Amino acid sequence: MSVKTVFIADDDGAVRETLKQLFENTDFQVVGESANGLETVEACRALRPHLVLMDIQMPLLDGIQAARVLVEEELAHCVVMLTFFDGPEYLEKAIKAGASGYLTKPFQAEKILPTLELCLAQSRTRHELGRSYASLNRRLEQRDLVDQAKLCLMEERGLTEQEAYSAIRDLSRRKKLSMAQVSHYLLKRYGGDP
């Protein structure tokens, strides 16, 4: 099984030490630690850990604000909040900041690793969905471009839709370009809006 990197952020040194010991002899490797949110963000920009385990209340930049930056800048695959506060308002803030998990202190060691595994699995799923969405979006944009070029050829040359499509496809094959590239060229040539 591959090693998963963890960054620990808590202003309590004893908590950081306990967590580091917890990760010994596991598939998790602690790659850094900090006592405040600002150091956490800066370190994660350099380290890009898989996971950040972070306290909510820390100096300079609290955990909620730091989590928001980590998620927005994609500095870690997931952020798990670790806190004494178990009220719904803190949970809601953590969710809005993009946290993937929420554990309360005093924590139970046997619950931390499964929670982190689950968060990482969900992170992988989100990442795959994001890639699929981006791919589908690109394909849809390319399809729209081809449709615009077909319409342009139909108007300029009096072709049927099938003939216009065939013309774009054949030109794509001859020039060894994608149909989207050919469509872009045709729209520029015939004054369409690529």
Side-chain angles (χ1 to χ4, degrees), residues 18-193:
T18 300
L19 288 169
K20 285 193 299 189
Q21 290 174 8
L22 173 77
F23 292 121
E24 290 176 2
N25 302 314
T26 69
D27 292 333
F28 291 90
Q29 176 188 4
V30 177
V31 293
E33 62 180 279
S34 75
N36 68 65
L38 192 58
E39 286 178 8
T40 300
V41 170
E42 291 304 315
C44 288
R45 282 187 176 127
L47 297 170
R48 302 286 178 152
H50 291 109
L51 182 117
V52 176
L53 188 55
M54 183 165 43
D55 190 16
I56 285 183
Q57 282 201 327
M58 292 189 297
L60 299 182
L61 187 66
D62 71 31
I64 298 294
Q65 293 169 321
R68 187 172 291 113
V69 173
L70 295 173
V71 170
E72 286 175 0
E73 294 184 20
E74 298 180 353
L75 300 178
H77 293 275
C78 56
V79 177
V80 175
M81 307 310 297
L82 183 62
T83 183
F84 279 113
F85 305 105
D86 63 355
E89 66 276 5
Y90 290 103
L91 178 59
E92 185 176 319
K93 287 179 183 180
I95 291 169
K96 285 183 180 177
S100 301
Y102 190 91
L103 296 166
T104 56
K105 297 176 188 175
F107 52 83
Q108 296 172 321
E110 66 274 4
K111 290 186 178 181
I112 291 179
L113 294 180
T115 298
L116 300 183
E117 290 286 358
L118 180 61
C119 290
L120 286 171
Q122 289 174 340
S123 170
R124 283 188 295 274
T125 300
R126 277 193 314 275
H127 180 71
E128 290 169 9
L129 286 172
R131 286 179 39 183
S132 294
Y133 173 78
S135 174
L136 288 171
N137 200 34
R138 276 191 307 277
R139 288 173 54 194
L140 185 60
E141 288 171 1
Q142 291 173 353
R143 174 70 184 247
D144 188 47
L145 198 59
V146 171
D147 285 346
Q148 289 176 37
K150 282 192 311 186
L151 184 61
C152 192
L153 285 177
M154 290 165 60
E155 290 173 356
E156 291 292 324
R157 293 188 179 175
L159 301 175
T160 65
E161 183 178 2
Q162 184 59 43
E163 290 169 335
Y165 179 82
S166 294
I168 294 169
R169 185 191 61 219
D170 293 344
L171 188 56
S172 169
R173 288 177 180 165
R174 279 197 320 271
K175 298 293 184 180
K176 296 183 180 171
L177 297 171
S178 72
M179 288 181 66
Q181 290 171 313
V182 169
S183 297
H184 184 77
Y185 166 77
L186 290 171
L187 288 169
K188 279 181 128 178
R189 180 175 178 201
Y190 290 111
D193 185 21

